Amino acid sequence: MEDETVLFAERELDVMAVLWELESGTVTEVRERLPAELAYTTVLTILRNLEGKGFVRHEEEGKAHRYFPLVARKTAERSAVARLVDRLFQGSPELLLTRLVDDHDLSPEQLKRMRRRLRERLEDDGREDDR
């Protein structure tokens, strides 16, 4: 599932974030860690829907089911950013980066880390050109 487009609805993403953090969880464990208070049956329905989409799997654990994410957080991040860039920034990652830098109150340390990452990327690309 690494190269597939992975899109989550808001509540699904909340549940997936908990599963990524815990690496697995029962409905109760997930529900306890969600930012919004949801009914047990709502969390169960979300997990079942995610399983139906192939994003999680479960194993029986006594009377409960333990759910495991099948999609890596990084895969979901890439998919979400790609969609955002395509839909809102005319396919330009540069426009997205500009918006982030211009609209967020980034600390000098954050800007330095971003600059360092851009420099590393430029150096990596330069090495690939030498091959």
Side-chain angles (χ1 to χ4, degrees), residues 15 18-19 25-34 43 47:
V15 167
V18 172
L19 288 177
T26 63
V27 175
T28 300
E29 291 168 346
V30 170
R31 183 174 175 259
E32 289 172 350
R33 287 171 177 78
L34 286 171
V43 176
L47 284 164

Side-chain angles (χ1 to χ4, degrees), residues 80-94 96:
V81 169
R83 185 166 192 230
L84 184 68
V85 168
D86 286 343
R87 298 271 171 108
L88 292 178
F89 297 96
Q90 298 86 42
S92 172
E94 182 181 359
L96 172 60

Side-chain angles (χ1 to χ4, degrees), residues 1 28-29 35 50 58 66-67 71 78 84 86 92 106 111-112 128-129:
M1 187 163 287
T28 300
E29 291 168 346
L50 287 167
H58 79 269
R66 178 161 296 278
Y67 291 86
V71 175
R78 282 186 177 139
L84 184 68
D86 286 343
S92 172
L106 299 171
L111 291 168
K112 286 176 186 175
E128 288 179 16
D129 291 342

Side-chain angles (χ1 to χ4, degrees), residues 9-22 26-47 50:
E10 185 174 353
R11 295 275 190 225
E12 290 176 338
L13 188 54
D14 290 343
V15 167
M16 289 300 296
V18 172
L19 288 177
W20 287 322
E21 179 185 333
L22 297 176
T26 63
V27 175
T28 300
E29 291 168 346
V30 170
R31 183 174 175 259
E32 289 172 350
R33 287 171 177 78
L34 286 171
E37 193 168 319
L38 298 176
Y40 179 94
T41 54
T42 301
V43 176
L44 176 60
T45 298
I46 293 168
L47 284 164
L50 287 167

